[in-house]
Amino acid sequence: MVDLKQSIRTIPDFPKKGILFRDITTLLKDPEALHESIDQLAGQLKDVDFDYVIGPESRGFIFGVPVAYALGKGFIPIRKPGKLPAEVISMDYDLEYGSNRLEMHKDALKPGDKVVIVDDLVATGGTAKAMCKMVESVGAKVVSLNFVIELVDLKPRKTLEGYNVNSLVQYEGA
């Protein structure tokens, strides 16, 4: 088994001073680590009852699509503003170091659909919470949130209280 934490590079002071950036490009480059991360994410979800995997642009696509494929589910992309061609619902949210907006096709989900969210990293939980609100705004339900990396000192589980949160690698220190 590959040690995923060892395959993730840490870059200090990026994108701004005081941030320890957890760089997954080294994990993605390593075929064994990439395979292991997808297998572990899919393994966390193999007994979960759900209809779709949702992932945010762009690194959520990297992990979400192969997890959806491995589990025989569809994938729903969450995009940055102006990238989706049909009618969308939008949600503003705060990041660890700024703010942004997410969009999803309005017709991507219907009431009663059950989804899991897959992303590379959870920091404050703001992005994940915004996705949960979008899913719930159309009457669908988030049954699990699954991340490769969790920055525990930023307390994302407090932001995501009430949701099932899983991560493969945890880091102390922002």
Side-chain angles (χ1 to χ4, degrees):
M1 181 182 274
V2 176
D3 182 350
L4 295 179
K5 199 170 202 175
Q6 292 297 318
S7 69
I8 298 166
R9 173 173 48 193
T10 298
I11 300 174
D13 299 323
F14 182 84
K16 69 179 196 177
K17 191 163 183 61
I19 302 289
L20 291 174
F21 187 81
R22 308 305 178 167
D23 179 19
I24 62 160
T25 62
T26 48
L27 178 148
L28 297 172
K29 181 180 172 184
D30 180 339
E32 290 180 41
L34 178 59
H35 193 235
E36 182 68 26
S37 64
I38 300 302
D39 284 352
Q40 284 188 34
L41 288 165
Q44 291 176 336
L45 296 165
K46 68 180 172 61
D47 296 323
V48 175
D49 178 27
F50 69 98
D51 303 301
Y52 301 102
V53 173
I54 288 181
E57 187 173 343
S58 66
R59 293 181 306 261
F61 294 6
I62 293 170
F63 294 98
V65 169
V67 168
Y69 177 80
L71 297 172
K73 304 294 183 178
F75 179 80
I76 297 171
I78 302 291
R79 302 287 316 261
K80 295 173 184 169
K83 302 289 186 178
L84 293 170
E87 187 177 357
V88 298
I89 56 174
S90 299
M91 187 69 58
D92 293 319
Y93 66 100
D94 293 324
L95 292 162
E96 179 184 357
Y97 40 84
S99 63
N100 212 335
R101 172 177 281 210
L102 295 173
E103 294 183 343
M104 175 179 75
H105 276 139
K106 191 172 185 176
D107 63 357
L109 295 169
K110 62 185 182 310
D113 283 342
K114 293 178 275 189
V115 305
V116 299
I117 293 172
V118 174
D119 202 359
D120 69 317
L121 180 136
V122 62
T124 65
T127 304
K129 184 75 169 200
M131 289 187 287
C132 291
K133 287 180 180 179
M134 280 199 304
V135 166
E136 293 161 355
S137 76
V138 296
K141 181 178 181 186
V142 176
V143 295
S144 187
L145 295 144
N146 298 72
F147 306 96
V148 176
I149 300 169
E150 178 180 356
L151 303 181
V152 295
D153 288 356
L154 297 176
K155 301 183 181 4
R157 290 176 189 256
K158 183 176 180 186
T159 301
L160 299 169
E161 194 170 349
Y163 295 99
N164 178 33
V165 178
N166 301 287
S167 58
L168 304 181
V169 176
Q170 297 79 36
Y171 285 100
E172 302 285 336

